[in-house]
Structures are given as C-alpha cells and as structure tokens.
Amino acid sequence: MTKKAFKYDMQRGLGSCVLALKNMRDNEKEAFLPIVMWGCSHDMAYDAQCEGCRSYYLYELIMEFSDITPFLDVVEKRLFHGMHSTGWEFAQDCTLLAYLVSDGNKRAWKILTACYQALLKNLSDKRRRGRYGILPERDNFEHMCVALVYSCFDDRERSIRIYKKIVRDLGVLIEGNALYDYDDFEWFQASSADRLGKRTVQRLLHRTDADGSTANYARFREECLKTRKSENERKRRSDPETADEVYRRLKDGEKVGQMCSLMLGRTFMRQDKKLEVLKLAAYYREETDMDIRYNLLRLLANKLCAWAPELSCLIADAQSGHAELSEWAFTALGYRKDAKVRDYAIALLQKKEHMADAVSMLAANYEAADREFFVEAVKQIPITYADGYWHSVFHDVTDLFSVPGTGKPKELLPYMYRNTLCSFCREYVVKEMGRRRMLTRELLEEMQYDCNENIRVYADKKLSRMMGI
C-alpha cells in the first residue's frame, strides 16, 4: 500500500489502513508513522455529529506501533491547546486518550485528569459567555465527562465512582455560577444513563444519603425538566395551525424559524391536513415577494410535501437569481417523480450545470436506460471536505437502491464505499452491497477495522456466517 493510498483511505476511515499496518513488519511501519501522526493532529470525522469522532480508529492505528510516545506527545499538546476552541478536535483527543486509558496507559489517565481539573477551574472562574453565547470550554468539559464515564474503564464500579465525582463537581459548579444550568450538561447525563443504566443513575442521584452537591444537581435536573415540559407545551400552542395563519404571520414580518420549525409542513401531513399543504402551495404559487415565497417553499421542500407545489414554479425558481430560493427549489425537485423533472435533470447534466442537484433529481426518476450516463455523472461530482454536494448525491444514490426496480447501477456501490468521506453513509452502502452479495471475504476482513462501529459488527457477523462459525 502506498503512502498516498494510505492517507486517502485513512481520511475516509477505511479498515484497509489498520489491516495494512497489521501485515507489515515494524521497520516497514515507520514510513507510515508521519501519516498517522498527521491524523492525530486533525479532526478526522467528516461529520462527527452523525458518525461520531474517529478516536477508536486512531487508537487502533496507534497501537500498531511499538512506541506510542510520539502520539501521546501530540495529543497531550493538542488537548490543552484545544480546550478553549470550538469544533470536534477536543472530543477526538480526549476520547482517544480514554481508549488508551482502557488499555492501561497511566500517562493517558494523568493527562485526562489534569485537563479535567483545568477545565473545571476555567468554568468556575468564568463570568460571561463569548460572542453569540458560545462557550467552548463548557462543550469540551462535557465531552471530557462523557469520555471519562463511557470509555475509560470496563470496570462498572469504577465508572460509577467517576460518575458520582463528576455529578458532585457539576452540583458545585451550577450552584456557584449562574452561567450554567443542568441543560448545559444533559448529554453527559444521557450518556451516563446509557453506560450505567437509567435505574442506576436515578438511584445514585436520589440516594437518601447523597451529599449536598449531588442533591443540588438532582434538584437542578428536576427543575430544568419541568420547565422544559412547560416551554414545549407553550411552543406547541403558539405554532400556526393553518396555512392561512402561516401566510398572515409571514406578511406581518415573521420568518419560518421564528413562528414555527421547518417541520410544520410535514406535521400538517401527519395530522392528515393535506388541504393545508395545498393552501401553502397555492400561496407559494401566487406570491411575488421573494422573501415570503422563499419562506413558504422551505415548508414544502421535503419528502412529504414536495408533491404539492406546481412543477413549473419549482423549475422557474430553480433557475432564478435568488440563491436561497433556487437551492430550496432544487431540494423540492429532488423529491419529485415526474418525466419533466427527469428531462430537466438530463438537460442540466448535459450542460454540466447544477451537477449535484441534477444527479439527485435523476436518481429520483431513474430508468434503466440512464445507467451509463448516470454512473458517469455521479463520478464527476468532486469529493472534498470543503464542498459537500457529493454527500447529498451519495445519499440519494443509496436511496435509489432501496426502491424496487431493475437495471440499478450497482457499480456505484464499491465506488461510494471507497470514496465517501462519511462513514455514516458508508454503513448503508455496505449493507446494500451485502444484499447484492458483493462483499468478498477480503472486503469483510477489511471492514472489521472500519472507523464505523456498526460496519465492524456487520462484517464480523457476515464473516462468521461465511466461515460457518
């Protein structure tokens, strides 16, 4: 495996990199150490919110080297430097250290606990949030808390002791600083319940012998949940109930997002209010104020409602000079099954205009005769971190395989598997390949080391069946 190919696959989180290192002698691995070091110095996930951090993947790569000291040096420096920064780098670093702790590395534990104390002191001393209310130290501290409880130790009792300490610290922090509330650390609570069990965390929070700080945390939690329930009820009562009300409030200057969520159109459909969706589409058709027209289309440009707007309006808006209106019109067209949409998509692809949107439209209206043209068009979409159009294209191509029909371009499945930067999407590609018996033993062995945990589990099961275990 060349160094260029190794880095390409590593950016995608493919198991080929781990497998390649496993099959090398120690002296051969040294040529790849700088590339893995580079990985430890960057946020490796394409979309960490969907696929999670790639900490375990980096951990597996690191453990193939006889001396992990250089990696610890890099991660320690990044951890303390990154604790004041937004983004997912800190989460990747502290979770990577947690995996090293689980492997018995004492230095990794010292680094984590030192950073925990530094962050806790920083939060205690703060008296105001940053611009737009951003407080990266709070976000990073919560990531740290989750990693400590969830990933450091298999020993359940030790994880419980860590949870109890963090809860005490949070009780003191929230009580002593008005900047924070239970809401700020709810993900930690949910992750702890997942790791330890809901009953266990409830019992720990409501023990009769609980210390004052733990009792404070439990009280803050109950108050916050009660307030949230009341606020959700109030918000539901304030949402528009008809298309007429939506339009009136738009005319009064409100925006979608202020008066309701983008889910409102879908909510109407689920409530069997098809007539209200048709009314929204009628208002959209007649509206000449581009801003209001744009806000109306945002409610309709989804899988449940895209049938309602007139096709001629969507095509006209897709070609308009209003960038945001055009974007939402293309989104709606990507859900429409119509010969005119297919023709429009082919025309755009032939002119090499709006390539990603056109591929999505053609995917929704795919015919077996389109196969060669379609495959070529998909492969022309650049795959980069900066430009995410390929991401929606790959999603729509994968959806194409989930509907009945013949002549599907199955050659795109290995292409997407090898090239997607998103391991969350790759999981669906792998399963589609599995349904079509495209997974060889060699591929499955590689997938056992993929950065996506679900792919690893899937590959293990498939291999076991293949080997009759």
Side-chain angles (χ1 to χ4, degrees):
M1 191 177 199
T2 66
K3 289 187 281 187
K4 182 178 179 180
F6 186 94
K7 185 175 181 180
Y8 188 88
D9 284 6
M10 187 181 75
Q11 287 177 293
R12 284 146 182 81
L14 289 167
S16 54
C17 296
V18 180
L19 199 58
L21 290 177
K22 285 184 176 295
N23 291 326
M24 292 180 195
R25 294 187 293 271
D26 283 348
N27 63 320
E28 294 174 322
K29 293 178 184 179
E30 292 306 307
F32 295 86
L33 188 145
I35 304 174
V36 180
M37 290 278 282
W38 179 90
C40 291
S41 303
H42 292 79
D43 175 12
M44 289 293 290
Y46 175 74
D47 184 355
Q49 200 152 8
C50 288
E51 56 178 325
C53 296
R54 296 189 182 170
S55 306
Y56 187 76
Y57 180 70
L58 287 171
Y59 162 75
E60 286 199 309
L61 290 170
I62 289 169
M63 295 308 292
E64 289 303 317
F65 294 89
S66 56
D67 182 12
I68 69 168
T69 303
F71 300 104
L72 276 172
D73 292 342
V74 168
V75 175
E76 179 178 16
K77 183 178 179 180
R78 274 172 47 90
L79 190 74
F80 282 91
H81 183 265
M83 70 182 189
H84 302 292
S85 303
T86 57
W88 289 93
E89 290 88 346
F90 183 90
Q92 175 180 291
D93 294 338
C94 69
T95 308
L96 172 56
L97 286 168
Y99 286 127
L100 292 170
V101 169
S102 71
D103 205 42
N105 191 292
K106 293 181 179 179
R107 181 183 169 190
W109 176 246
K110 289 180 180 179
I111 295 169
L112 276 180
T113 52
C115 189
Y116 174 91
Q117 293 299 333
L119 271 173
L120 183 60
K121 184 178 187 308
N122 181 280
L123 291 177
S124 300
D125 292 343
K126 277 194 179 296
R127 290 298 174 262
R128 63 179 181 179
R129 293 177 180 265
R131 195 178 183 185
Y132 307 120
I134 293 174
L135 190 55
E137 293 86 357
R138 186 221 65 83
D139 298 334
N140 292 331
F141 183 68
E142 186 173 37
H143 281 298
M144 172 71 74
C145 293
V146 170
L148 288 171
V149 171
Y150 207 97
S151 304
C152 278
F153 299 104
D154 292 331
D155 183 348
R156 177 181 168 81
E157 289 306 313
R158 187 159 189 181
S159 294
I160 287 175
R161 290 199 299 273
I162 293 171
Y163 170 76
K164 287 164 66 176
K165 171 182 169 37
I166 293 172
V167 163
R168 286 195 299 271
D169 289 341
L170 289 177
V172 172
L173 179 65
I174 297 170
E175 177 72 18
N177 195 321
L179 279 181
Y180 316 110
D181 203 341
Y182 168 79
D183 258 344
D184 289 309
F185 307 99
E186 187 173 24
W187 177 48
F188 157 72
Q189 183 65 27
S191 296
S192 298
D194 184 51
R195 169 72 175 88
L196 305 174
K198 291 182 179 179
R199 290 185 179 179
T200 297
V201 296
Q202 282 291 96
R203 175 178 56 81
L204 293 171
L205 291 180
H206 298 286
R207 297 190 333 263
T208 54
D209 62 340
D211 60 90
S213 299
T214 300
N216 282 339
Y217 177 83
R219 174 170 55 83
F220 294 136
R221 178 172 181 269
E222 295 302 321
E223 290 173 354
C224 181
L225 295 178
K226 184 177 179 181
T227 300
R228 183 185 305 160
K229 183 178 180 180
S230 175
E231 179 62 22
N232 288 341
E233 289 293 331
R234 184 201 64 75
K235 187 178 183 305
R236 276 195 292 270
R237 289 194 296 270
S238 69
D239 281 348
E241 296 186 0
T242 66
D244 292 337
E245 186 182 353
V246 169
Y247 187 66
R248 176 182 59 77
R249 289 171 65 171
L250 286 173
K251 281 291 190 181
D252 288 342
E254 291 188 63
K255 309 287 186 186
V256 169
Q258 294 174 334
M259 66 170 165
C260 64
S261 76
L262 293 177
M263 298 288 289
L264 184 65
R266 282 174 275 195
T267 300
F268 282 164
M269 288 298 294
R270 292 188 178 111
Q271 293 174 343
D272 201 23
K273 292 182 176 180
K274 189 174 180 179
L275 181 59
E276 299 304 326
V277 175
L278 284 169
K279 284 184 177 180
L280 285 175
Y283 279 125
Y284 161 69
R285 181 186 66 234
E286 300 298 330
E287 186 55 50
T288 57
D289 182 309
M290 299 301 276
D291 192 44
I292 293 178
R293 187 177 179 86
Y294 156 69
N295 275 278
L296 286 165
L297 184 54
R298 292 172 75 196
L299 297 175
L300 296 165
N302 58 72
K303 194 171 186 177
L304 294 184
C305 302
W307 58 270
E310 285 190 10
L311 199 53
S312 59
C313 292
L314 291 176
I315 292 175
D317 283 343
Q319 296 170 340
S320 74
H322 191 294
E324 292 172 321
L325 183 62
S326 173
E327 181 181 348
W328 283 96
F330 274 120
T331 299
L333 286 167
Y335 293 112
R336 291 289 287 265
K337 296 183 185 299
D338 192 289
K340 291 181 180 178
V341 176
R342 179 175 176 274
D343 292 343
Y344 181 42
I346 291 172
L348 287 172
L349 289 171
Q350 288 172 337
K351 293 185 291 185
K352 298 191 182 301
E353 295 177 359
H354 299 283
M355 292 284 289
D357 292 313
V359 168
S360 294
M361 289 155 56
L362 188 55
N365 294 276
Y366 179 84
E367 296 178 5
D370 301 325
R371 183 168 182 163
E372 186 176 341
F373 180 70
F374 184 74
V375 169
E376 182 184 353
V378 170
K379 290 184 177 181
Q380 286 179 19
I381 308 296
I383 303 169
T384 66
Y385 287 101
D387 183 348
Y389 289 119
W390 63 269
H391 196 198
S392 59
V393 166
F394 280 20
H395 181 272
D396 292 334
V397 173
T398 306
D399 279 352
L400 170 61
F401 288 93
S402 66
V403 297
T406 58
K408 300 291 178 63
K410 66 179 185 179
E411 58 265 46
L412 283 176
L413 290 171
Y415 171 78
M416 293 190 295
Y417 169 78
R418 284 290 171 202
N419 291 283
T420 181
L421 289 164
C422 177
S423 68
F424 183 75
C425 295
R426 184 162 63 247
E427 179 183 338
Y428 293 93
V429 172
V430 165
K431 289 178 180 177
E432 289 297 338
M433 292 175 73
R435 291 187 186 100
R436 287 162 179 75
R437 301 187 178 185
M438 298 171 69
L439 298 177
T440 63
R441 179 168 179 169
E442 290 74 23
L443 263 179
L444 289 169
E445 288 173 349
E446 173 183 305
M447 289 174 185
Q448 287 182 300
Y449 302 101
D450 197 277
C451 70
N452 181 304
E453 182 180 3
N454 292 333
I455 292 177
R456 297 197 300 269
V457 172
Y458 180 81
D460 283 342
K461 289 181 180 177
K462 282 281 190 180
L463 270 174
S464 296
R465 290 173 191 161
M466 188 179 289
M467 299 169 67
I469 298 176

